[in-house]
Amino acid sequence: MTDQTQVNRPETTRPQSEAAHGAGPHGGNRRTEPGSRGRTTIADGVVAKIAGLAARGVPGVQGMGGGFARGMGAVRERVPGAGSQSVTSGVKVEVGEVQTAVDLSIIVEYGYSIVELTGDVRTEVIAAIERMTGLEVVEVNILVSDVKLPDEEEEQQVERRVA
């Protein structure tokens, strides 16, 4: 997996059309498809954001990231002006020219079937990335790093009020 802060410029191209639009019998005034007039590159961070948003949108996903990432996110939330937790927290991607692989670390709400939930997350992430980027998603690996219990939410709210 590559570091998502690294500038990676994968290339995505579409095959050129064999028949040009509007071409006359003598080949004059040929137009080509827009995809053949340049190259589109998609940075790792873009794919990571798409994956993070898609995963967070699945009911039963309480949060993203492991212990360290969540701890840093909690610190960031308490610092004025620092913003909320990053969309890419708990997401690592590796993007190639036409394919990508995704690693996710999620926190599951207690009561949800982990097998069903991870299947739903995988489906949503693949659909979002393929629809928005045209890249083929070859794998989505999911680490369930924690289960959020109902009483833990109340404890955290009390800690925030005291702090």
Side-chain angles (χ1 to χ4, degrees):
M1 293 276 125
T2 59
D3 180 15
Q4 54 193 340
T5 58
Q6 173 187 356
V7 177
N8 185 7
R9 302 271 182 210
E11 300 174 10
T12 59
T13 58
R14 293 184 181 217
Q16 293 184 7
S17 173
E18 293 178 10
H21 299 287
H26 302 291
N29 195 19
R30 293 184 149 230
R31 294 185 342 192
T32 58
E33 289 185 27
S36 66
R37 296 185 200 175
R39 189 179 347 197
T40 302
T41 57
I42 302 171
D44 287 11
V46 172
V47 176
K49 281 184 179 182
I50 294 167
L53 286 171
R56 281 178 170 77
V58 176
V61 175
Q62 196 279 331
M64 304 276 297
F68 180 74
R70 286 193 348 240
M72 291 306 292
V75 169
R76 193 176 359 191
E77 287 176 3
R78 291 183 179 155
V79 176
S84 62
Q85 188 172 4
S86 171
V87 174
T88 59
S89 178
V91 181
K92 292 181 184 175
V93 299
E94 186 175 321
V95 181
E97 289 185 25
V98 294
Q99 295 179 324
T100 188
V102 181
D103 289 339
L104 300 173
S105 176
I106 66 171
I107 302 157
V108 175
E109 288 181 31
Y110 179 79
Y112 282 83
S113 165
I114 292 175
V115 173
E116 289 178 20
L117 179 62
T118 55
D120 292 346
V121 168
R122 193 170 282 112
T123 299
E124 290 298 317
V125 168
I126 291 170
I129 291 172
E130 289 184 347
R131 179 177 39 83
M132 293 183 70
T133 67
L135 295 168
E136 177 190 5
V137 180
V138 293
E139 65 182 7
V140 176
N141 300 309
I142 302 173
L143 166 68
V144 177
S145 62
D146 200 358
V147 174
K148 183 72 168 187
L149 302 174
D151 59 339
E152 287 179 332
E153 192 170 303
E154 293 172 10
E155 291 173 12
Q156 285 183 350
Q157 288 176 356
V158 170
E159 287 175 12
R160 287 182 185 158
R161 284 186 231 147
V162 172

